[in-house]
Coordinates of all heavy atoms in Angstrom, one line a residue:
V1 N 102.8 97.5 62.5 CA 103.5 96.5 63.3 C 104.7 97.1 63.9 O 105.0 96.9 65.1 CB 103.8 95.2 62.4 CG1 104.8 94.3 63.2 CG2 102.6 94.5 62.1
S2 N 105.5 97.8 63.1 CA 106.7 98.5 63.6 C 106.4 99.4 64.7 O 107.1 99.4 65.7 CB 107.4 99.2 62.4 OG 107.9 98.3 61.4
I3 N 105.4 100.2 64.6 CA 105.0 101.2 65.6 C 104.6 100.5 66.9 O 105.1 100.8 68.0 CB 103.9 102.1 65.2 CG1 104.4 103.0 64.0 CG2 103.4 103.0 66.3 CD1 103.3 103.9 63.4
A4 N 103.7 99.5 66.8 CA 103.2 98.9 68.0 C 104.3 98.1 68.7 O 104.4 98.2 70.0 CB 102.0 97.9 67.6
V5 N 105.1 97.3 68.0 CA 106.1 96.5 68.6 C 107.2 97.4 69.2 O 107.7 97.2 70.3 CB 106.7 95.5 67.6 CG1 107.9 94.8 68.2 CG2 105.6 94.5 67.2
A6 N 107.6 98.4 68.4 CA 108.7 99.3 68.9 C 108.4 100.1 70.1 O 109.2 100.2 71.0 CB 109.2 100.2 67.7
V7 N 107.2 100.7 70.1 CA 106.8 101.5 71.3 C 106.7 100.6 72.5 O 107.1 101.0 73.6 CB 105.5 102.3 71.0 CG1 105.0 103.0 72.3 CG2 105.7 103.3 69.9
G8 N 106.1 99.4 72.4 CA 106.0 98.5 73.5 C 107.3 98.1 74.0 O 107.6 98.1 75.2
A9 N 108.3 97.9 73.1 CA 109.6 97.5 73.5 C 110.4 98.6 74.2 O 111.2 98.4 75.1 CB 110.4 97.0 72.2
L10 N 110.1 99.9 73.8 CA 110.7 101.0 74.5 C 110.3 101.0 75.9 O 111.1 101.3 76.8 CB 110.3 102.3 73.8 CG 111.1 102.6 72.5 CD1 110.5 103.9 71.8 CD2 112.6 102.8 72.7
F11 N 109.0 100.8 76.2 CA 108.6 100.8 77.6 C 109.2 99.6 78.3 O 109.6 99.7 79.5 CB 107.0 100.7 77.7 CG 106.3 102.0 77.5 CD1 106.1 102.6 76.3 CD2 105.9 102.7 78.7 CE1 105.5 103.8 76.2 CE2 105.3 103.9 78.6 CZ 105.1 104.5 77.3
S12 N 109.3 98.5 77.6 CA 109.9 97.3 78.2 C 111.4 97.5 78.6 O 111.9 97.0 79.6 CB 109.8 96.1 77.3 OG 110.4 95.0 77.8
L13 N 112.1 98.3 77.7 CA 113.5 98.6 78.0 C 113.7 99.3 79.4 O 114.7 99.0 80.1 CB 114.0 99.6 76.9 CG 114.2 99.0 75.5 CD1 114.7 100.0 74.5 CD2 115.2 97.8 75.6
V14 N 112.8 100.2 79.7 CA 112.8 100.9 81.0 C 112.4 99.9 82.1 O 113.0 99.9 83.2 CB 112.0 102.1 81.0 CG1 112.0 102.8 82.4 CG2 112.5 103.1 80.0
A15 N 111.3 99.1 81.8 CA 110.7 98.3 82.9 C 111.7 97.2 83.3 O 111.7 96.8 84.5 CB 109.4 97.7 82.4
L16 N 112.4 96.6 82.4 CA 113.2 95.4 82.7 C 114.2 95.7 83.9 O 114.2 95.0 84.9 CB 113.9 94.9 81.5 CG 113.0 94.0 80.6 CD1 113.6 93.9 79.2 CD2 112.8 92.6 81.2
P17 N 115.1 96.6 83.7 CA 116.1 96.8 84.8 C 115.4 97.5 86.0 O 115.9 97.2 87.1 CB 117.1 97.8 84.2 CG 116.5 98.4 83.0 CD 115.5 97.4 82.5
L18 N 114.4 98.3 85.8 CA 113.7 98.9 86.9 C 113.0 97.9 87.8 O 113.1 97.9 89.0 CB 112.7 99.9 86.4 CG 112.0 100.8 87.5 CD1 113.1 101.6 88.3 CD2 111.0 101.7 86.8
F19 N 112.3 96.9 87.2 CA 111.7 95.8 87.9 C 112.8 95.0 88.6 O 112.6 94.5 89.8 CB 110.9 94.9 87.0 CG 109.6 95.5 86.6 CD1 109.0 95.3 85.4 CD2 108.8 96.2 87.6 CE1 107.8 95.8 85.0 CE2 107.6 96.7 87.2 CZ 107.1 96.5 85.9
G20 N 113.9 94.8 88.0 CA 115.0 94.1 88.6 C 115.5 94.8 89.9 O 115.7 94.2 90.9
R21 N 115.7 96.1 89.8 CA 116.2 96.9 90.9 C 115.1 96.8 92.1 O 115.5 96.6 93.2 CB 116.4 98.3 90.5 CG 116.7 99.3 91.6 CD 118.1 99.0 92.2 NE 119.1 99.6 91.3 CZ 120.4 99.5 91.6 NH1 120.8 98.8 92.7 NH2 121.3 100.0 90.7
I22 N 113.9 97.0 91.7 CA 112.8 96.9 92.7 C 112.7 95.6 93.4 O 112.6 95.4 94.6 CB 111.5 97.3 92.1 CG1 111.5 98.8 91.7 CG2 110.3 97.0 93.1 CD1 110.3 99.2 90.8
S23 N 112.8 94.5 92.6 CA 112.7 93.2 93.1 C 113.8 92.8 94.1 O 113.6 92.2 95.1 CB 112.7 92.2 91.9 OG 112.6 90.8 92.4
D24 N 115.0 93.3 93.8 CA 116.2 93.0 94.7 C 116.0 93.7 96.0 O 116.7 93.4 97.0 CB 117.5 93.5 94.0 CG 118.0 92.4 93.0 OD1 117.6 91.3 93.1 OD2 118.8 92.8 92.1
R25 N 115.1 94.7 96.1 CA 115.0 95.5 97.4 C 113.7 95.0 98.2 O 113.5 95.5 99.3 CB 114.9 97.0 97.0 CG 116.1 97.6 96.5 CD 116.0 99.1 96.3 NE 115.4 99.8 97.4 CZ 116.1 100.1 98.5 NH1 117.4 99.8 98.6 NH2 115.5 100.7 99.5
I26 N 112.9 94.2 97.6 CA 111.7 93.8 98.3 C 112.0 92.9 99.5 O 112.8 91.9 99.3 CB 110.7 93.0 97.3 CG1 110.2 94.0 96.2 CG2 109.6 92.4 98.1 CD1 109.4 93.3 95.2
T27 N 111.5 93.2 100.7 CA 111.8 92.4 101.9 C 110.5 91.9 102.5 O 110.4 91.6 103.7 CB 112.5 93.3 102.9 OG1 111.8 94.5 103.2 CG2 113.9 93.7 102.4
S28 N 109.4 91.8 101.7 CA 108.1 91.4 102.2 C 108.1 89.9 102.5 O 109.0 89.2 102.0 CB 107.0 91.7 101.3 OG 107.0 90.9 100.1
R29 N 107.1 89.4 103.3 CA 107.0 88.0 103.6 C 106.8 87.2 102.3 O 107.0 86.0 102.3 CB 105.9 87.8 104.6 CG 106.2 88.4 106.0 CD 105.1 88.1 106.9 NE 105.4 88.6 108.3 CZ 104.6 88.5 109.3 NH1 103.4 87.8 109.2 NH2 104.9 89.0 110.5
S30 N 106.2 87.8 101.3 CA 106.0 87.0 100.1 C 107.2 86.8 99.2 O 107.1 86.1 98.2 CB 104.9 87.8 99.2 OG 105.4 89.1 98.8
G31 N 108.3 87.4 99.6 CA 109.6 87.1 98.9 C 109.9 88.3 97.9 O 109.2 89.3 97.8
R32 N 111.0 88.1 97.2 CA 111.5 89.1 96.3 C 110.9 89.0 94.9 O 110.8 89.9 94.1 CB 113.0 89.1 96.2 CG 113.7 89.5 97.4 CD 115.1 90.0 97.2 NE 116.0 88.9 96.8 CZ 117.3 89.0 96.5 NH1 117.8 90.2 96.5 NH2 118.0 88.0 96.2
R33 N 110.5 87.8 94.5 CA 110.1 87.5 93.1 C 108.6 87.4 92.9 O 108.1 87.7 91.8 CB 110.9 86.3 92.5 CG 112.3 86.2 92.9 CD 113.1 87.4 92.5 NE 114.5 87.3 92.9 CZ 115.4 88.3 93.0 NH1 115.0 89.6 92.7 NH2 116.6 88.1 93.4
R34 N 107.9 86.8 93.9 CA 106.5 86.6 93.7 C 105.7 87.8 93.4 O 104.8 87.8 92.5 CB 106.0 85.9 95.0 CG 104.5 85.5 94.9 CD 104.0 84.8 96.1 NE 104.6 83.5 96.2 CZ 105.5 83.1 97.1 NH1 105.9 84.0 98.0 NH2 105.9 81.9 97.2
P35 N 106.0 89.0 94.0 CA 105.2 90.2 93.6 C 105.3 90.5 92.1 O 104.3 91.0 91.5 CB 105.8 91.3 94.5 CG 106.3 90.6 95.7 CD 106.8 89.3 95.1

């Protein structure tokens, strides 16, 4: 459990702010959050 949860959380640590940065830069017709 520790391995599965911890490794997944490590990837999430990078993904959270990275997705935020990407989302703030999206200028498509579908909007910034829908993608």
Side-chain angles (χ1 to χ4, degrees):
V1 169
S2 294
I3 293 171
V5 173
V7 173
L10 284 174
F11 276 83
S12 180
L13 289 177
V14 177
L16 281 163
L18 187 59
F19 282 143
R21 173 70 76 182
I22 292 171
S23 182
D24 280 339
R25 291 182 51 79
I26 293 175
T27 57
S28 73
R29 293 182 179 180
S30 63
R32 292 200 289 179
R33 316 306 178 198
R34 185 176 289 108

